[in-house]
């Protein structure tokens, strides 16, 4: 075994390993030359002290070379198309959808049958929730993976998945899959071997003989799933302790061992060649641990992601990463760059949309748009109203303090409000992972149930549409939780299911709402009205070049309930004004004096005279095509 030395010696070792693994392709060699110095630098920082550094680096690069050789021709053609249009995900035509294969479509064949309806909706991006082999029952909705190379047999096969990816691609829809690389299921072969003492896998996880180290780590780590187990460790049958951030059956991998990086990169390369276009990098904040720290978002977590990015750039250059970091907003953006994750969920905008609807005050959301929206070139937000996960109130306390808001008390209020415990609330949500020790909790519920439709609140439908009008117009890729476009309500039947009852997130992960979809053309139903209004917004977005990219210029009005911004296009600007309050608001002509007097409302196909001001109904909004003077 050899430690990493100079780039030149390690470069030769890597190229020799590539040749030993098969042909060295010219196109690969070009990208190797571009990426190797970067990957080498990252490996040196991560693993410079290790005796097996060079060996693991060479093996990783050899796997990338072999993977490129095996990459199907249609994917290589697609890579070239992406190279010609690297900002493809910034288009105003982008629209994401997310669903569970089993709950939404039964299985992969069922997903295939839905492709026409996805096209009709305008989807260009489809995130299928984890569909890998996972133990029956305890699997955290698929996030406890026992093989990344097998599809869960109840959903289909890997060959079917690759075919589906190709069909989606032909329909203009990019397949998005999770890369669950922080942890595996305890049933994964690596986990079984590690526990059994197989020397090749002994260091794949963080296992300790007694409580000494776990106690030391837990002095500074946070509890993520306190309903399941306290702290960050669980005890093995033989008495030892293993790191487990999430459920007790999800064991964290030990990335301080470069063999783990090499092994996981192999799984990533395998998935890349099935035709996945975007990998959703699950739980990125947790992948590196160091004693005495929170073990979240450490510098090495970024180095690891960049190293995965460099490997992918060699072997599947058309693919991109999406970061799932549901943490402090300063940390969320730290993962976003073309060298790390090109895309990221925007959990701040999501949470503050709900915050604004509860408080009827748009100032925190406006502040986030004013100063936390900008991103580096070549990257984009994924803007969403809700996901399969709980809503955590991840705003920065220091931001809230500027308005005299105490972060802790405000989160308590929001939790009470959205779990229906606040008097007069319109929301019907359920608490997730309430921690009596810290007072912390998060909220679950479908968009329609949280926004007031379930409670019969007259503003419910407007709030659903308003929340989407924001996500569809702030930039990047808007992402729909499929079912929300027909106002799907909470499904409380999870409480009767012994496997799901312990996890309240199932309340908003109901099966495909067939009845609501059947009503989508019927304007006398909430499903029909919400669907009509949202699909109108989607089609307007598709025809609004102003909505491409991420450039957003704040637009302030004298009204705290109004959130405003401009999206400048090549010629005209789209001005968005959204009223999160319960009272009608009129924006006076003076506030609008920076624009030519005649504006156009593309949602209602009407021209608007700005000299008359703009009146926003309660929970109403406008998208106005304006010309700055
Ligand atoms: C991510 C997933 C969540 C899962 C967790 C552990 O946060 O979105 O559903 O519980 O990772 O894998």
């Amino acid at each position: 075994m050899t430690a990493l030395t100079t780039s030149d010696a390690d470069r030769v070792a890597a190229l020799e390993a590539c040749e030993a693994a098969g042909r060295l392709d010219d196109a690969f060699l070009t990208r190797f030359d571009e990426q190797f110095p970067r990957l080498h630098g990252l490996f040196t920082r991560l693993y410079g002290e290790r005796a097996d550094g060079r060996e693991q680096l060479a093996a990783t690069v050899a796997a990338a070379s072999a993977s490129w050789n095996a990459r199907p021709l249609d994917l290589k053609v697609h890579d070239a198309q992406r190279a010609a249009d690297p900002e493809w995900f910034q288009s105003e035509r982008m629209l994401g959808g997310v669903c569970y294969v089993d709950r939404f479509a039964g299985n992969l064949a069922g997903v295939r049958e839905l492709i026409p309806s996805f096209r009709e909706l305008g989807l260009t991006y489809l995130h299928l929730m984890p569909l890998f082999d996972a133990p029956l029952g305890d699997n955290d909705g698929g996030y406890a993976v026992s093989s990344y190379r097998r599809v869960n047999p109840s959903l289909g096969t890997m060959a079917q998945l690759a075919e589906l990816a190709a069909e989606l691609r032909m329909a203009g829809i990019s397949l998005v899959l999770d890369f669950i690389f922080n942890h595996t299921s305890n049933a994964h072969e690596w986990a079984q071997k590690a526990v059994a003492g197989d020397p090749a896998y002994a260091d794949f996880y963080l296992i300790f003989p007694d409580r000494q180290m776990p106690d030391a780590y837990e002095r500074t780590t946070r509890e993520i799933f306190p309903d399941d187990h306290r702290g960050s460790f669980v005890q093995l049958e033989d008495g030892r302790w293993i790191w487990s951030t999430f459920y007790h059956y999800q064991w964290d991998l030990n990335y301080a061992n470069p063999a783990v990086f090499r092994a996981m990169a192999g799984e990533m390369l395998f998935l890349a060649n099935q035709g996945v276009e975007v990998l959703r990098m699950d739980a990125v904040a947790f992948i590196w641990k160091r004693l005495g720290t929170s073990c979240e978002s450490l510098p090495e977590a970024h180095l690891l992601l960049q190293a995965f990015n460099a490997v992918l750039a060699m072997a599947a250059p058309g693919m991109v990463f999406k970061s799932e970091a549901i943490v402090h907003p300063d940390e969320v953006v730290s993962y976003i760059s073309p060298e790390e994750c090109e895309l990221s969920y925007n959990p701040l905008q999501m949470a503050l949309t709900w915050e604004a609807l509860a408080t009827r005050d748009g100032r925190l959301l406006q502040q986030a748009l004013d100063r936390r929206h900008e991103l580096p070139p070549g990257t984009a937000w994924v803007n969403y109203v809700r996901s399969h996960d709980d809503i955590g109130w991840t705003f920065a306390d220091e931001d809230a303090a500027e308005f005299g808001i105490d972060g802790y008390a405000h989160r308590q209020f929001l939790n009470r409000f959205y779990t229906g415990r606040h008097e007069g609330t319109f929301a019907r949500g359920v608490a997730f992972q309430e921690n009596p020790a810290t007072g912390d909790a998060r909220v679950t519920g479908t968009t329609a149930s949280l926004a007031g439709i379930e409670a019969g609140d007259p503003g419910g439908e407007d709030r659903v549409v308003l929340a989407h009008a924001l996500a569809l117009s702030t930039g990047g890729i808007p992402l729909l939780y499929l079912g929300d476009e027909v106002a799907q309500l909470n499904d409380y039947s999870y409480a009767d299911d012994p496997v799901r009852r312990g996890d309240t997130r199932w309340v908003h992960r109901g099966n495909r709402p067939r009845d609501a979809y059947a009503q989508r053309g019927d304007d006398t139903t909430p499903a029909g009205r919400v669907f009509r209004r949202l699909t109108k917004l989607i089609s307007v977005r598709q025809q609004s070049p102003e909505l491409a990219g991420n450039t957003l210029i704040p637009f302030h009005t004298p009204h705290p309930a109004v959130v405003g911004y401009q999206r400048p296009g090549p010629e005209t600007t789209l001005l968005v004004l959204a009223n999160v309050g319960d009272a009608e608001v009129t924006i006076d002509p003076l506030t609008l004096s920076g624009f030519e007097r005649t504006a156009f409302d593309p949602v209602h196909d009407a021209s608007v005279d700005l000299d008359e001001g703009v009146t926003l109904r309660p929970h109403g909004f406008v998208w106005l095509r304006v010309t700055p003077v």
Side-chain angles (χ1 to χ4, degrees):
M1 288 209 280
T2 326
L4 291 152
T5 55
T6 66
S7 183
D8 277 352
D10 296 335
R11 186 173 187 279
V12 172
L15 285 173
E16 280 170 1
C18 289
E19 277 183 333
R23 178 168 58 87
L24 196 51
D25 181 83
D26 280 349
F28 181 81
L29 200 54
T30 306
R31 290 196 305 274
F32 170 87
D33 283 339
E34 281 162 17
Q35 299 296 333
F36 186 75
R38 172 160 92 107
L39 185 59
H40 183 268
L42 293 162
F43 250 71
T44 307
R45 289 171 70 186
L46 286 162
Y47 304 121
E49 310 291 310
R50 300 263 313 200
D52 53 351
R54 180 187 292 173
E55 180 191 332
Q56 296 298 349
L57 174 61
T60 303
V61 175
S65 169
S67 180
W68 172 252
N69 290 340
R71 190 158 173 79
L73 194 61
D74 57 335
L75 296 181
K76 289 187 174 177
V77 170
H78 196 252
D79 288 330
Q81 285 165 358
R82 291 304 194 214
D85 179 20
E87 304 252 340
W88 59 275
F89 48 76
Q90 309 277 17
S91 162
E92 68 276 17
R93 303 198 72 84
M94 287 300 296
L95 177 69
V98 52
C99 66
Y100 284 90
V101 174
D102 55 343
R103 315 219 106 206
F104 200 73
N107 53 30
L108 290 178
V111 174
R112 197 173 156 194
E113 281 167 28
L114 289 172
I115 292 178
S117 72
F118 294 150
R119 290 189 60 152
E120 192 187 302
L121 189 58
L123 295 192
T124 61
Y125 160 125
L126 179 66
H127 175 197
L128 296 178
M129 294 292 294
L131 41 69
F132 305 105
D133 206 5
L136 254 186
D138 273 357
N139 64 33
D140 189 18
Y143 282 95
V145 176
S146 41
S147 167
Y148 299 89
R149 300 195 184 216
R150 258 197 327 266
V151 167
N152 191 320
S154 66
L155 305 177
T157 64
M158 199 43 90
Q160 271 183 311
L161 180 66
E163 277 166 35
L164 176 65
E167 277 196 51
L168 287 167
R169 199 164 47 252
M170 282 188 317
I173 303 173
S174 300
L175 176 63
V176 184
L177 287 189
D178 286 83
F179 187 49
I180 302 154
F181 67 121
N182 172 70
H183 47 265
T184 70
S185 144
N186 57 1
H188 194 286
E189 188 191 346
W190 302 342
Q192 303 273 310
K193 288 184 171 166
V195 168
D198 182 328
Y201 295 90
D203 273 350
F204 263 51
Y205 299 82
L206 293 128
I207 306 177
F208 298 99
D210 53 39
R211 281 296 306 177
Q212 192 193 339
M213 289 306 290
D215 284 343
Y217 277 113
E218 283 176 1
R219 274 197 274 280
T220 48
T221 57
R222 170 165 87 102
E223 293 181 320
I224 305 299
F225 281 181
D227 283 0
D228 182 69
H229 65 278
R230 307 305 309 263
S232 302
F233 292 81
V234 294
Q235 193 163 27
L236 297 172
E237 271 171 22
D238 60 16
R240 290 181 297 165
W241 293 84
I242 190 160
W243 200 302
S244 166
T245 299
F246 296 95
Y247 279 109
H248 60 277
Y249 48 78
Q250 287 163 304
W251 294 349
D252 291 46
L253 287 159
N254 172 25
Y255 277 97
N257 174 4
V260 170
F261 179 85
R262 194 249 314 129
M264 253 310 172
E267 306 308 273
M268 175 181 78
L269 293 168
F270 175 83
L271 292 175
N273 279 359
Q274 311 309 311
V276 187
E277 290 190 48
V278 179
L279 284 178
R280 172 192 180 276
M281 307 302 277
D282 185 59
V284 290
F286 298 94
I287 57 180
W288 194 271
K289 287 60 170 161
R290 190 184 320 119
L291 198 60
T293 72
S294 65
C295 298
E296 287 184 46
S297 291
L298 295 178
E300 289 84 352
H302 296 287
L303 304 182
L304 278 170
L305 282 163
Q306 290 165 27
F308 280 118
N309 179 306
V311 173
L312 200 67
M314 287 185 200
M319 286 177 63
V320 295
F321 286 160
K322 175 173 80 158
S323 148
E324 190 241 351
I326 313 300
V327 287
H328 187 284
D330 291 340
E331 282 178 35
V332 174
V333 290
S334 71
Y335 292 95
I336 311 173
S337 77
E339 291 75 37
E340 197 165 326
C341 295
E342 294 87 344
L343 306 175
S344 168
Y345 282 107
N346 190 349
L348 182 65
Q349 181 178 312
M350 183 276 292
L352 290 180
T353 297
W354 290 108
E355 188 272 347
L357 291 174
T359 58
R360 281 80 162 171
D361 184 331
R363 287 177 301 168
L364 270 179
L365 177 57
Q366 181 74 54
Q367 181 201 48
L369 289 166
D370 290 1
R371 57 164 96 135
R372 292 190 181 274
H373 182 77
E374 207 176 312
L375 286 180
T379 66
W381 289 117
V382 173
N383 283 307
Y384 60 116
V385 175
R386 63 99 164 189
S387 72
H388 70 289
D389 278 331
D390 44 290
I391 299 173
W393 308 107
T394 57
F395 59 83
D397 283 10
E398 54 280 20
D399 291 357
E402 290 180 27
F403 297 108
I405 296 169
D406 173 75
Y408 181 81
H410 202 49
R411 288 187 184 87
Q412 301 274 319
F413 157 73
L414 291 166
N415 282 330
R416 280 198 310 277
F417 189 93
Y418 279 108
T419 55
R421 297 173 198 164
H422 181 83
E423 213 194 309
T425 182
F426 52 73
R428 293 287 180 272
V430 182
F432 178 65
Q433 302 292 337
E434 268 185 303
N435 189 336
T438 59
D440 182 39
R442 283 105 77 185
V443 166
T444 63
T446 67
T447 299
S449 289
L450 293 179
I453 296 183
E454 184 177 327
D457 184 273
E461 290 173 28
D462 282 346
R463 287 191 202 92
V464 171
V465 179
L466 176 62
H468 284 94
L470 293 167
L472 285 162
S473 66
T474 43
I477 305 177
L479 175 60
L480 286 176
Y481 193 95
L482 295 176
D484 277 0
E485 77 282 18
V486 289
Q488 180 165 14
L489 296 175
N490 284 347
D491 173 3
Y492 296 97
S493 68
Y494 78 99
D496 307 324
D497 177 341
V499 172
R500 299 201 162 106
R501 110 168 25 123
D503 190 327
T504 58
R505 291 174 299 178
W506 290 106
V507 83
H508 61 217
R509 299 172 176 174
N511 290 328
R512 177 181 163 83
R514 288 180 198 286
D515 294 349
Y517 277 108
Q519 292 168 347
R520 72 185 190 280
D522 178 354
D523 226 39
T524 64
T525 63
R529 288 187 294 268
V530 166
F531 187 76
R532 171 177 51 75
R533 294 171 68 187
L534 289 186
T535 46
K536 176 71 190 174
L537 289 181
I538 291 167
S539 80
V540 171
R541 176 181 151 84
Q542 289 166 338
Q543 292 153 41
S544 301
E546 300 95 332
L547 294 180
N550 195 50
T551 311
L552 180 149
I553 305 167
F555 186 83
H556 292 170
T557 75
H559 308 280
V562 174
V563 176
Y565 45 92
Q566 309 169 65
R567 302 294 320 281
E571 279 151 31
T572 47
T573 288
L574 210 76
L575 172 68
V576 178
L577 296 166
N579 174 15
V580 299
D582 292 338
E584 189 177 281
V585 178
T586 298
I587 319 288
D588 61 287
L590 191 62
T591 303
L592 300 162
S593 61
F595 307 113
E596 282 180 10
R597 296 298 76 197
T598 306
F600 183 72
D601 173 349
V603 179
H604 301 99
D605 282 311
S607 92
V608 175
D609 180 0
L610 297 185
D611 272 336
E612 288 171 14
V614 170
T615 298
L616 302 169
R617 292 188 296 123
H619 338 109
F621 67 94
V622 288
W623 288 1
L624 285 182
R625 180 155 288 126
V626 295
T627 313
V629 289

